PDB file of all heavy atoms in Angstrom:
ATOM      1  N   PRO A   1       0.807  -1.223   0.000  1.00  0.00           N
ATOM      2  CA  PRO A   1       0.000   0.000   0.000  1.00  0.00           C
ATOM      3  C   PRO A   1       0.844   1.279   0.000  1.00  0.00           C
ATOM      4  O   PRO A   1       0.353   2.343  -0.354  1.00  0.00           O
ATOM      5  CB  PRO A   1      -0.853  -0.110   1.263  1.00  0.00           C
ATOM      6  CG  PRO A   1      -0.171  -1.119   2.109  1.00  0.00           C
ATOM      7  CD  PRO A   1       0.568  -2.032   1.192  1.00  0.00           C
ATOM      8  N   LEU A   2       2.113   1.181   0.352  1.00  0.00           N
ATOM      9  CA  LEU A   2       2.993   2.353   0.362  1.00  0.00           C
ATOM     10  C   LEU A   2       3.953   2.363  -0.819  1.00  0.00           C
ATOM     11  O   LEU A   2       4.963   3.070  -0.791  1.00  0.00           O
ATOM     12  CB  LEU A   2       3.781   2.410   1.676  1.00  0.00           C
ATOM     13  CG  LEU A   2       2.963   2.601   2.954  1.00  0.00           C
ATOM     14  CD1 LEU A   2       3.880   2.658   4.168  1.00  0.00           C
ATOM     15  CD2 LEU A   2       2.091   3.846   2.875  1.00  0.00           C
ATOM     16  N   SER A   3       3.649   1.603  -1.858  1.00  0.00           N
ATOM     17  CA  SER A   3       4.600   1.466  -2.967  1.00  0.00           C
ATOM     18  C   SER A   3       4.974   2.813  -3.599  1.00  0.00           C
ATOM     19  O   SER A   3       6.140   3.025  -3.934  1.00  0.00           O
ATOM     20  CB  SER A   3       4.081   0.494  -4.025  1.00  0.00           C
ATOM     21  OG  SER A   3       2.869   0.947  -4.565  1.00  0.00           O
ATOM     22  N   ASP A   4       4.029   3.730  -3.744  1.00  0.00           N
ATOM     23  CA  ASP A   4       4.361   5.036  -4.332  1.00  0.00           C
ATOM     24  C   ASP A   4       5.338   5.798  -3.445  1.00  0.00           C
ATOM     25  O   ASP A   4       6.303   6.384  -3.931  1.00  0.00           O
ATOM     26  CB  ASP A   4       3.104   5.870  -4.566  1.00  0.00           C
ATOM     27  CG  ASP A   4       2.263   5.332  -5.716  1.00  0.00           C
ATOM     28  OD1 ASP A   4       2.811   4.594  -6.556  1.00  0.00           O
ATOM     29  OD2 ASP A   4       1.063   5.648  -5.764  1.00  0.00           O
ATOM     30  N   TYR A   5       5.106   5.790  -2.157  1.00  0.00           N
ATOM     31  CA  TYR A   5       5.990   6.444  -1.190  1.00  0.00           C
ATOM     32  C   TYR A   5       7.372   5.785  -1.194  1.00  0.00           C
ATOM     33  O   TYR A   5       8.397   6.465  -1.182  1.00  0.00           O
ATOM     34  CB  TYR A   5       5.347   6.367   0.193  1.00  0.00           C
ATOM     35  CG  TYR A   5       6.208   6.782   1.354  1.00  0.00           C
ATOM     36  CD1 TYR A   5       6.585   8.113   1.534  1.00  0.00           C
ATOM     37  CD2 TYR A   5       6.627   5.853   2.302  1.00  0.00           C
ATOM     38  CE1 TYR A   5       7.354   8.507   2.619  1.00  0.00           C
ATOM     39  CE2 TYR A   5       7.394   6.233   3.390  1.00  0.00           C
ATOM     40  CZ  TYR A   5       7.755   7.558   3.541  1.00  0.00           C
ATOM     41  OH  TYR A   5       8.517   7.939   4.621  1.00  0.00           O
ATOM     42  N   LEU A   6       7.419   4.481  -1.253  1.00  0.00           N
ATOM     43  CA  LEU A   6       8.684   3.742  -1.168  1.00  0.00           C
ATOM     44  C   LEU A   6       9.549   3.909  -2.416  1.00  0.00           C
ATOM     45  O   LEU A   6      10.772   3.795  -2.343  1.00  0.00           O
ATOM     46  CB  LEU A   6       8.408   2.263  -0.901  1.00  0.00           C
ATOM     47  CG  LEU A   6       7.734   1.964   0.440  1.00  0.00           C
ATOM     48  CD1 LEU A   6       7.302   0.505   0.511  1.00  0.00           C
ATOM     49  CD2 LEU A   6       8.623   2.343   1.604  1.00  0.00           C
ATOM     50  N   LYS A   7       8.912   4.185  -3.575  1.00  0.00           N
ATOM     51  CA  LYS A   7       9.677   4.377  -4.819  1.00  0.00           C
ATOM     52  C   LYS A   7      10.704   5.487  -4.685  1.00  0.00           C
ATOM     53  O   LYS A   7      11.774   5.424  -5.292  1.00  0.00           O
ATOM     54  CB  LYS A   7       8.732   4.682  -5.986  1.00  0.00           C
ATOM     55  CG  LYS A   7       8.003   3.491  -6.503  1.00  0.00           C
ATOM     56  CD  LYS A   7       7.081   3.894  -7.646  1.00  0.00           C
ATOM     57  CE  LYS A   7       6.164   2.750  -7.990  1.00  0.00           C
ATOM     58  NZ  LYS A   7       5.169   3.142  -8.992  1.00  0.00           N
ATOM     59  N   ASP A   8      10.383   6.509  -3.915  1.00  0.00           N
ATOM     60  CA  ASP A   8      11.313   7.634  -3.736  1.00  0.00           C
ATOM     61  C   ASP A   8      12.655   7.184  -3.168  1.00  0.00           C
ATOM     62  O   ASP A   8      13.676   7.798  -3.432  1.00  0.00           O
ATOM     63  CB  ASP A   8      10.715   8.688  -2.797  1.00  0.00           C
ATOM     64  CG  ASP A   8       9.525   9.406  -3.409  1.00  0.00           C
ATOM     65  OD1 ASP A   8       9.359   9.344  -4.640  1.00  0.00           O
ATOM     66  OD2 ASP A   8       8.766  10.023  -2.647  1.00  0.00           O
ATOM     67  N   PHE A   9      12.644   6.125  -2.393  1.00  0.00           N
ATOM     68  CA  PHE A   9      13.875   5.678  -1.737  1.00  0.00           C
ATOM     69  C   PHE A   9      14.691   4.733  -2.611  1.00  0.00           C
ATOM     70  O   PHE A   9      15.808   4.377  -2.267  1.00  0.00           O
ATOM     71  CB  PHE A   9      13.543   5.051  -0.380  1.00  0.00           C
ATOM     72  CG  PHE A   9      12.844   6.026   0.511  1.00  0.00           C
ATOM     73  CD1 PHE A   9      11.473   5.985   0.667  1.00  0.00           C
ATOM     74  CD2 PHE A   9      13.556   7.030   1.144  1.00  0.00           C
ATOM     75  CE1 PHE A   9      10.817   6.917   1.464  1.00  0.00           C
ATOM     76  CE2 PHE A   9      12.912   7.966   1.938  1.00  0.00           C
ATOM     77  CZ  PHE A   9      11.536   7.913   2.099  1.00  0.00           C
ATOM     78  N   SER A  10      14.135   4.341  -3.733  1.00  0.00           N
ATOM     79  CA  SER A  10      14.873   3.532  -4.704  1.00  0.00           C
ATOM     80  C   SER A  10      15.597   4.410  -5.711  1.00  0.00           C
ATOM     81  O   SER A  10      16.609   4.010  -6.271  1.00  0.00           O
ATOM     82  CB  SER A  10      13.924   2.586  -5.439  1.00  0.00           C
ATOM     83  OG  SER A  10      13.295   1.727  -4.527  1.00  0.00           O
ATOM     84  N   CYS A  11      15.060   5.599  -5.928  1.00  0.00           N
ATOM     85  CA  CYS A  11      15.670   6.532  -6.884  1.00  0.00           C
ATOM     86  C   CYS A  11      17.028   6.986  -6.377  1.00  0.00           C
ATOM     87  O   CYS A  11      17.185   7.312  -5.210  1.00  0.00           O
ATOM     88  CB  CYS A  11      14.765   7.747  -7.088  1.00  0.00           C
ATOM     89  SG  CYS A  11      13.194   7.342  -7.852  1.00  0.00           S
ATOM     90  N   GLY A  12      17.989   6.970  -7.269  1.00  0.00           N
ATOM     91  CA  GLY A  12      19.324   7.445  -6.916  1.00  0.00           C
ATOM     92  C   GLY A  12      20.226   6.404  -6.290  1.00  0.00           C
ATOM     93  O   GLY A  12      21.358   6.705  -5.933  1.00  0.00           O
ATOM     94  N   ILE A  13      19.745   5.185  -6.148  1.00  0.00           N
ATOM     95  CA  ILE A  13      20.555   4.107  -5.579  1.00  0.00           C
ATOM     96  C   ILE A  13      20.748   3.042  -6.651  1.00  0.00           C
ATOM     97  O   ILE A  13      19.785   2.553  -7.237  1.00  0.00           O
ATOM     98  CB  ILE A  13      19.879   3.469  -4.340  1.00  0.00           C
ATOM     99  CG1 ILE A  13      19.627   4.514  -3.258  1.00  0.00           C
ATOM    100  CG2 ILE A  13      20.710   2.314  -3.805  1.00  0.00           C
ATOM    101  CD1 ILE A  13      20.866   5.052  -2.580  1.00  0.00           C
ATOM    102  N   THR A  14      21.995   2.664  -6.885  1.00  0.00           N
ATOM    103  CA  THR A  14      22.333   1.662  -7.888  1.00  0.00           C
ATOM    104  C   THR A  14      23.236   0.613  -7.250  1.00  0.00           C
ATOM    105  O   THR A  14      24.234   0.961  -6.608  1.00  0.00           O
ATOM    106  CB  THR A  14      23.082   2.299  -9.079  1.00  0.00           C
ATOM    107  OG1 THR A  14      22.269   3.356  -9.608  1.00  0.00           O
ATOM    108  CG2 THR A  14      23.366   1.284 -10.162  1.00  0.00           C
ATOM    109  N   VAL A  15      22.889  -0.634  -7.434  1.00  0.00           N
ATOM    110  CA  VAL A  15      23.741  -1.707  -6.925  1.00  0.00           C
ATOM    111  C   VAL A  15      25.068  -1.655  -7.673  1.00  0.00           C
ATOM    112  O   VAL A  15      25.110  -1.492  -8.882  1.00  0.00           O
ATOM    113  CB  VAL A  15      23.069  -3.086  -7.105  1.00  0.00           C
ATOM    114  CG1 VAL A  15      23.996  -4.200  -6.615  1.00  0.00           C
ATOM    115  CG2 VAL A  15      21.734  -3.137  -6.379  1.00  0.00           C
ATOM    116  N   GLY A  16      26.150  -1.757  -6.929  1.00  0.00           N
ATOM    117  CA  GLY A  16      27.483  -1.698  -7.512  1.00  0.00           C
ATOM    118  C   GLY A  16      28.181  -0.382  -7.245  1.00  0.00           C
ATOM    119  O   GLY A  16      29.384  -0.256  -7.437  1.00  0.00           O
ATOM    120  N   GLU A  17      27.420   0.610  -6.803  1.00  0.00           N
ATOM    121  CA  GLU A  17      28.003   1.903  -6.451  1.00  0.00           C
ATOM    122  C   GLU A  17      28.493   1.846  -5.005  1.00  0.00           C
ATOM    123  O   GLU A  17      27.937   1.138  -4.174  1.00  0.00           O
ATOM    124  CB  GLU A  17      26.965   3.022  -6.581  1.00  0.00           C
ATOM    125  CG  GLU A  17      26.521   3.291  -7.987  1.00  0.00           C
ATOM    126  CD  GLU A  17      27.587   3.961  -8.827  1.00  0.00           C
ATOM    127  OE1 GLU A  17      28.342   4.796  -8.302  1.00  0.00           O
ATOM    128  OE2 GLU A  17      27.671   3.624 -10.025  1.00  0.00           O
ATOM    129  N   ASN A  18      29.503   2.618  -4.723  1.00  0.00           N
ATOM    130  CA  ASN A  18      30.041   2.689  -3.365  1.00  0.00           C
ATOM    131  C   ASN A  18      29.589   4.009  -2.749  1.00  0.00           C
ATOM    132  O   ASN A  18      30.141   5.054  -3.052  1.00  0.00           O
ATOM    133  CB  ASN A  18      31.573   2.598  -3.406  1.00  0.00           C
ATOM    134  CG  ASN A  18      32.171   2.461  -2.026  1.00  0.00           C
ATOM    135  OD1 ASN A  18      31.457   2.217  -1.056  1.00  0.00           O
ATOM    136  ND2 ASN A  18      33.465   2.629  -1.939  1.00  0.00           N
ATOM    137  N   TYR A  19      28.563   3.956  -1.905  1.00  0.00           N
ATOM    138  CA  TYR A  19      27.993   5.157  -1.312  1.00  0.00           C
ATOM    139  C   TYR A  19      28.642   5.446   0.035  1.00  0.00           C
ATOM    140  O   TYR A  19      28.932   4.528   0.798  1.00  0.00           O
ATOM    141  CB  TYR A  19      26.482   4.991  -1.125  1.00  0.00           C
ATOM    142  CG  TYR A  19      25.756   4.821  -2.432  1.00  0.00           C
ATOM    143  CD1 TYR A  19      25.353   3.566  -2.870  1.00  0.00           C
ATOM    144  CD2 TYR A  19      25.504   5.914  -3.243  1.00  0.00           C
ATOM    145  CE1 TYR A  19      24.693   3.408  -4.073  1.00  0.00           C
ATOM    146  CE2 TYR A  19      24.846   5.772  -4.455  1.00  0.00           C
ATOM    147  CZ  TYR A  19      24.453   4.519  -4.862  1.00  0.00           C
ATOM    148  OH  TYR A  19      23.811   4.374  -6.061  1.00  0.00           O
ATOM    149  N   THR A  20      28.827   6.725   0.322  1.00  0.00           N
ATOM    150  CA  THR A  20      29.368   7.100   1.620  1.00  0.00           C
ATOM    151  C   THR A  20      28.310   6.881   2.692  1.00  0.00           C
ATOM    152  O   THR A  20      27.100   6.888   2.414  1.00  0.00           O
ATOM    153  CB  THR A  20      29.810   8.573   1.656  1.00  0.00           C
ATOM    154  OG1 THR A  20      28.644   9.401   1.508  1.00  0.00           O
ATOM    155  CG2 THR A  20      30.838   8.871   0.561  1.00  0.00           C
ATOM    156  N   GLU A  21      28.762   6.725   3.903  1.00  0.00           N
ATOM    157  CA  GLU A  21      27.858   6.575   5.035  1.00  0.00           C
ATOM    158  C   GLU A  21      26.936   7.796   5.132  1.00  0.00           C
ATOM    159  O   GLU A  21      25.736   7.664   5.370  1.00  0.00           O
ATOM    160  CB  GLU A  21      28.677   6.427   6.320  1.00  0.00           C
ATOM    161  CG  GLU A  21      27.865   6.288   7.570  1.00  0.00           C
ATOM    162  CD  GLU A  21      28.739   6.162   8.811  1.00  0.00           C
ATOM    163  OE1 GLU A  21      29.868   5.641   8.717  1.00  0.00           O
ATOM    164  OE2 GLU A  21      28.271   6.593   9.872  1.00  0.00           O
ATOM    165  N   GLU A  22      27.493   8.969   4.915  1.00  0.00           N
ATOM    166  CA  GLU A  22      26.713  10.203   4.996  1.00  0.00           C
ATOM    167  C   GLU A  22      25.622  10.244   3.920  1.00  0.00           C
ATOM    168  O   GLU A  22      24.487  10.651   4.181  1.00  0.00           O
ATOM    169  CB  GLU A  22      27.632  11.420   4.876  1.00  0.00           C
ATOM    170  CG  GLU A  22      26.998  12.698   5.359  1.00  0.00           C
ATOM    171  CD  GLU A  22      26.553  12.654   6.815  1.00  0.00           C
ATOM    172  OE1 GLU A  22      27.216  12.004   7.643  1.00  0.00           O
ATOM    173  OE2 GLU A  22      25.503  13.254   7.111  1.00  0.00           O
ATOM    174  N   PHE A  23      25.948   9.820   2.698  1.00  0.00           N
ATOM    175  CA  PHE A  23      24.946   9.784   1.632  1.00  0.00           C
ATOM    176  C   PHE A  23      23.792   8.859   2.011  1.00  0.00           C
ATOM    177  O   PHE A  23      22.620   9.224   1.874  1.00  0.00           O
ATOM    178  CB  PHE A  23      25.571   9.330   0.310  1.00  0.00           C
ATOM    179  CG  PHE A  23      24.544   9.167  -0.785  1.00  0.00           C
ATOM    180  CD1 PHE A  23      24.173  10.255  -1.557  1.00  0.00           C
ATOM    181  CD2 PHE A  23      23.931   7.939  -1.020  1.00  0.00           C
ATOM    182  CE1 PHE A  23      23.196  10.125  -2.555  1.00  0.00           C
ATOM    183  CE2 PHE A  23      22.965   7.795  -2.002  1.00  0.00           C
ATOM    184  CZ  PHE A  23      22.599   8.892  -2.768  1.00  0.00           C
ATOM    185  N   LEU A  24      24.111   7.646   2.480  1.00  0.00           N
ATOM    186  CA  LEU A  24      23.067   6.692   2.841  1.00  0.00           C
ATOM    187  C   LEU A  24      22.218   7.223   4.001  1.00  0.00           C
ATOM    188  O   LEU A  24      20.995   7.062   4.004  1.00  0.00           O
ATOM    189  CB  LEU A  24      23.669   5.332   3.178  1.00  0.00           C
ATOM    190  CG  LEU A  24      24.263   4.573   1.994  1.00  0.00           C
ATOM    191  CD1 LEU A  24      24.927   3.283   2.471  1.00  0.00           C
ATOM    192  CD2 LEU A  24      23.220   4.279   0.924  1.00  0.00           C
ATOM    193  N   LYS A  25      22.858   7.855   4.973  1.00  0.00           N
ATOM    194  CA  LYS A  25      22.102   8.423   6.094  1.00  0.00           C
ATOM    195  C   LYS A  25      21.119   9.478   5.593  1.00  0.00           C
ATOM    196  O   LYS A  25      19.947   9.480   5.986  1.00  0.00           O
ATOM    197  CB  LYS A  25      23.047   9.039   7.129  1.00  0.00           C
ATOM    198  CG  LYS A  25      23.694   8.036   8.020  1.00  0.00           C
ATOM    199  CD  LYS A  25      24.531   8.726   9.086  1.00  0.00           C
ATOM    200  CE  LYS A  25      25.076   7.691  10.033  1.00  0.00           C
ATOM    201  NZ  LYS A  25      25.769   8.304  11.166  1.00  0.00           N
ATOM    202  N   ASN A  26      21.585  10.354   4.746  1.00  0.00           N
ATOM    203  CA  ASN A  26      20.704  11.401   4.220  1.00  0.00           C
ATOM    204  C   ASN A  26      19.597  10.822   3.346  1.00  0.00           C
ATOM    205  O   ASN A  26      18.453  11.258   3.410  1.00  0.00           O
ATOM    206  CB  ASN A  26      21.508  12.433   3.426  1.00  0.00           C
ATOM    207  CG  ASN A  26      22.370  13.289   4.313  1.00  0.00           C
ATOM    208  OD1 ASN A  26      22.056  13.513   5.482  1.00  0.00           O
ATOM    209  ND2 ASN A  26      23.477  13.764   3.778  1.00  0.00           N
ATOM    210  N   HIS A  27      19.936   9.819   2.546  1.00  0.00           N
ATOM    211  CA  HIS A  27      18.971   9.230   1.622  1.00  0.00           C
ATOM    212  C   HIS A  27      17.859   8.468   2.359  1.00  0.00           C
ATOM    213  O   HIS A  27      16.689   8.537   1.963  1.00  0.00           O
ATOM    214  CB  HIS A  27      19.687   8.290   0.646  1.00  0.00           C
ATOM    215  CG  HIS A  27      18.821   7.831  -0.467  1.00  0.00           C
ATOM    216  ND1 HIS A  27      18.565   8.600  -1.586  1.00  0.00           N
ATOM    217  CD2 HIS A  27      18.123   6.678  -0.639  1.00  0.00           C
ATOM    218  CE1 HIS A  27      17.760   7.935  -2.397  1.00  0.00           C
ATOM    219  NE2 HIS A  27      17.475   6.771  -1.843  1.00  0.00           N
ATOM    220  N   TYR A  28      18.222   7.740   3.407  1.00  0.00           N
ATOM    221  CA  TYR A  28      17.256   6.869   4.081  1.00  0.00           C
ATOM    222  C   TYR A  28      16.736   7.419   5.410  1.00  0.00           C
ATOM    223  O   TYR A  28      15.916   6.774   6.057  1.00  0.00           O
ATOM    224  CB  TYR A  28      17.861   5.476   4.290  1.00  0.00           C
ATOM    225  CG  TYR A  28      17.951   4.696   3.008  1.00  0.00           C
ATOM    226  CD1 TYR A  28      19.165   4.528   2.351  1.00  0.00           C
ATOM    227  CD2 TYR A  28      16.809   4.139   2.436  1.00  0.00           C
ATOM    228  CE1 TYR A  28      19.245   3.817   1.154  1.00  0.00           C
ATOM    229  CE2 TYR A  28      16.880   3.428   1.248  1.00  0.00           C
ATOM    230  CZ  TYR A  28      18.089   3.275   0.617  1.00  0.00           C
ATOM    231  OH  TYR A  28      18.157   2.571  -0.563  1.00  0.00           O
ATOM    232  N   ARG A  29      17.181   8.593   5.817  1.00  0.00           N
ATOM    233  CA  ARG A  29      16.767   9.151   7.118  1.00  0.00           C
ATOM    234  C   ARG A  29      15.241   9.243   7.243  1.00  0.00           C
ATOM    235  O   ARG A  29      14.663   8.829   8.234  1.00  0.00           O
ATOM    236  CB  ARG A  29      17.401  10.521   7.339  1.00  0.00           C
ATOM    237  CG  ARG A  29      17.102  11.120   8.707  1.00  0.00           C
ATOM    238  CD  ARG A  29      17.854  12.400   8.964  1.00  0.00           C
ATOM    239  NE  ARG A  29      19.283  12.289   8.750  1.00  0.00           N
ATOM    240  CZ  ARG A  29      20.149  11.737   9.608  1.00  0.00           C
ATOM    241  NH1 ARG A  29      19.712  11.236  10.745  1.00  0.00           N
ATOM    242  NH2 ARG A  29      21.437  11.701   9.329  1.00  0.00           N
ATOM    243  N   LYS A  30      14.587   9.801   6.231  1.00  0.00           N
ATOM    244  CA  LYS A  30      13.125   9.973   6.302  1.00  0.00           C
ATOM    245  C   LYS A  30      12.427   8.613   6.434  1.00  0.00           C
ATOM    246  O   LYS A  30      11.523   8.448   7.255  1.00  0.00           O
ATOM    247  CB  LYS A  30      12.622  10.710   5.061  1.00  0.00           C
ATOM    248  CG  LYS A  30      11.120  10.935   5.069  1.00  0.00           C
ATOM    249  CD  LYS A  30      10.655  11.673   3.826  1.00  0.00           C
ATOM    250  CE  LYS A  30       9.151  11.822   3.823  1.00  0.00           C
ATOM    251  NZ  LYS A  30       8.664  12.426   2.582  1.00  0.00           N
ATOM    252  N   LEU A  31      12.837   7.648   5.632  1.00  0.00           N
ATOM    253  CA  LEU A  31      12.189   6.338   5.677  1.00  0.00           C
ATOM    254  C   LEU A  31      12.437   5.646   7.012  1.00  0.00           C
ATOM    255  O   LEU A  31      11.509   5.148   7.640  1.00  0.00           O
ATOM    256  CB  LEU A  31      12.678   5.458   4.527  1.00  0.00           C
ATOM    257  CG  LEU A  31      12.103   4.044   4.463  1.00  0.00           C
ATOM    258  CD1 LEU A  31      10.582   4.058   4.378  1.00  0.00           C
ATOM    259  CD2 LEU A  31      12.694   3.297   3.272  1.00  0.00           C
ATOM    260  N   LEU A  32      13.678   5.622   7.460  1.00  0.00           N
ATOM    261  CA  LEU A  32      14.005   4.889   8.687  1.00  0.00           C
ATOM    262  C   LEU A  32      13.523   5.607   9.954  1.00  0.00           C
ATOM    263  O   LEU A  32      13.574   5.031  11.039  1.00  0.00           O
ATOM    264  CB  LEU A  32      15.494   4.590   8.749  1.00  0.00           C
ATOM    265  CG  LEU A  32      15.957   3.573   7.702  1.00  0.00           C
ATOM    266  CD1 LEU A  32      17.472   3.459   7.677  1.00  0.00           C
ATOM    267  CD2 LEU A  32      15.327   2.213   7.942  1.00  0.00           C
ATOM    268  N   SER A  33      13.042   6.823   9.815  1.00  0.00           N
ATOM    269  CA  SER A  33      12.447   7.515  10.964  1.00  0.00           C
ATOM    270  C   SER A  33      10.930   7.339  10.997  1.00  0.00           C
ATOM    271  O   SER A  33      10.272   7.799  11.923  1.00  0.00           O
ATOM    272  CB  SER A  33      12.793   9.008  10.937  1.00  0.00           C
ATOM    273  OG  SER A  33      12.159   9.644   9.853  1.00  0.00           O
ATOM    274  N   ASP A  34      10.383   6.654  10.016  1.00  0.00           N
ATOM    275  CA  ASP A  34       8.933   6.504   9.882  1.00  0.00           C
ATOM    276  C   ASP A  34       8.393   5.485  10.892  1.00  0.00           C
ATOM    277  O   ASP A  34       8.540   4.273  10.717  1.00  0.00           O
ATOM    278  CB  ASP A  34       8.586   6.075   8.454  1.00  0.00           C
ATOM    279  CG  ASP A  34       7.114   6.204   8.147  1.00  0.00           C
ATOM    280  OD1 ASP A  34       6.283   5.979   9.058  1.00  0.00           O
ATOM    281  OD2 ASP A  34       6.790   6.530   6.997  1.00  0.00           O
ATOM    282  N   GLU A  35       7.783   6.005  11.934  1.00  0.00           N
ATOM    283  CA  GLU A  35       7.269   5.145  13.002  1.00  0.00           C
ATOM    284  C   GLU A  35       6.067   4.311  12.569  1.00  0.00           C
ATOM    285  O   GLU A  35       5.779   3.278  13.174  1.00  0.00           O
ATOM    286  CB  GLU A  35       6.934   5.980  14.238  1.00  0.00           C
ATOM    287  CG  GLU A  35       8.170   6.591  14.852  1.00  0.00           C
ATOM    288  CD  GLU A  35       7.904   7.360  16.133  1.00  0.00           C
ATOM    289  OE1 GLU A  35       6.951   7.012  16.864  1.00  0.00           O
ATOM    290  OE2 GLU A  35       8.660   8.313  16.396  1.00  0.00           O
ATOM    291  N   LYS A  36       5.375   4.724  11.526  1.00  0.00           N
ATOM    292  CA  LYS A  36       4.254   3.922  11.031  1.00  0.00           C
ATOM    293  C   LYS A  36       4.761   2.623  10.414  1.00  0.00           C
ATOM    294  O   LYS A  36       4.083   1.607  10.466  1.00  0.00           O
ATOM    295  CB  LYS A  36       3.441   4.711  10.004  1.00  0.00           C
ATOM    296  CG  LYS A  36       2.665   5.847  10.607  1.00  0.00           C
ATOM    297  CD  LYS A  36       1.907   6.609   9.555  1.00  0.00           C
ATOM    298  CE  LYS A  36       1.215   7.806  10.178  1.00  0.00           C
ATOM    299  NZ  LYS A  36       0.617   8.681   9.186  1.00  0.00           N
ATOM    300  N   ILE A  37       5.949   2.662   9.847  1.00  0.00           N
ATOM    301  CA  ILE A  37       6.515   1.463   9.229  1.00  0.00           C
ATOM    302  C   ILE A  37       7.294   0.634  10.241  1.00  0.00           C
ATOM    303  O   ILE A  37       7.144  -0.584  10.298  1.00  0.00           O
ATOM    304  CB  ILE A  37       7.415   1.836   8.031  1.00  0.00           C
ATOM    305  CG1 ILE A  37       6.578   2.458   6.920  1.00  0.00           C
ATOM    306  CG2 ILE A  37       8.168   0.601   7.508  1.00  0.00           C
ATOM    307  CD1 ILE A  37       7.382   2.965   5.732  1.00  0.00           C
ATOM    308  N   PHE A  38       8.110   1.283  11.060  1.00  0.00           N
ATOM    309  CA  PHE A  38       9.026   0.547  11.933  1.00  0.00           C
ATOM    310  C   PHE A  38       8.609   0.507  13.399  1.00  0.00           C
ATOM    311  O   PHE A  38       9.229  -0.201  14.189  1.00  0.00           O
ATOM    312  CB  PHE A  38      10.438   1.140  11.818  1.00  0.00           C
ATOM    313  CG  PHE A  38      10.999   1.023  10.437  1.00  0.00           C
ATOM    314  CD1 PHE A  38      10.992   2.108   9.576  1.00  0.00           C
ATOM    315  CD2 PHE A  38      11.507  -0.181   9.974  1.00  0.00           C
ATOM    316  CE1 PHE A  38      11.496   1.997   8.283  1.00  0.00           C
ATOM    317  CE2 PHE A  38      12.000  -0.305   8.687  1.00  0.00           C
ATOM    318  CZ  PHE A  38      11.995   0.790   7.846  1.00  0.00           C
ATOM    319  N   GLY A  39       7.592   1.278  13.773  1.00  0.00           N
ATOM    320  CA  GLY A  39       7.144   1.277  15.162  1.00  0.00           C
ATOM    321  C   GLY A  39       7.937   2.223  16.044  1.00  0.00           C
ATOM    322  O   GLY A  39       7.494   2.558  17.138  1.00  0.00           O
ATOM    323  N   ILE A  40       9.108   2.631  15.596  1.00  0.00           N
ATOM    324  CA  ILE A  40       9.954   3.589  16.294  1.00  0.00           C
ATOM    325  C   ILE A  40      10.755   4.365  15.255  1.00  0.00           C
ATOM    326  O   ILE A  40      10.829   3.956  14.099  1.00  0.00           O
ATOM    327  CB  ILE A  40      10.933   2.907  17.282  1.00  0.00           C
ATOM    328  CG1 ILE A  40      11.877   1.958  16.544  1.00  0.00           C
ATOM    329  CG2 ILE A  40      10.219   2.187  18.393  1.00  0.00           C
ATOM    330  CD1 ILE A  40      13.031   1.496  17.401  1.00  0.00           C
ATOM    331  N   ASP A  41      11.359   5.446  15.704  1.00  0.00           N
ATOM    332  CA  ASP A  41      12.255   6.206  14.844  1.00  0.00           C
ATOM    333  C   ASP A  41      13.630   5.558  14.939  1.00  0.00           C
ATOM    334  O   ASP A  41      14.358   5.746  15.915  1.00  0.00           O
ATOM    335  CB  ASP A  41      12.296   7.669  15.305  1.00  0.00           C
ATOM    336  CG  ASP A  41      13.212   8.540  14.474  1.00  0.00           C
ATOM    337  OD1 ASP A  41      14.025   7.997  13.688  1.00  0.00           O
ATOM    338  OD2 ASP A  41      13.131   9.770  14.622  1.00  0.00           O
TER     339      ASP A  41
END
């Protein structure tokens, strides 16, 4: 049911790329803070 919302977190990520820790934190911060999905931030 959240597929449209989740698509945003797939954009800009490619398997085989070496991403910095800071890039990944910035990219996934909104999703991983979503208490509706994970129950906690």
Side-chain angles (χ1 to χ4, degrees):
L2 296 181
S3 61
D4 288 339
Y5 170 69
L6 296 171
K7 284 179 191 174
D8 292 343
F9 301 100
S10 300
C11 295
I13 302 291
T14 304
V15 178
E17 293 289 324
N18 188 12
Y19 297 101
T20 66
E21 179 181 330
E22 198 59 34
F23 175 86
L24 291 176
K25 281 184 175 186
N26 289 332
H27 190 81
Y28 287 104
R29 184 174 307 281
K30 181 180 177 185
L31 179 58
L32 291 172
S33 68
D34 193 325
E35 294 184 29
K36 290 179 184 172
I37 294 175
F38 298 101
I40 61 168
D41 180 347

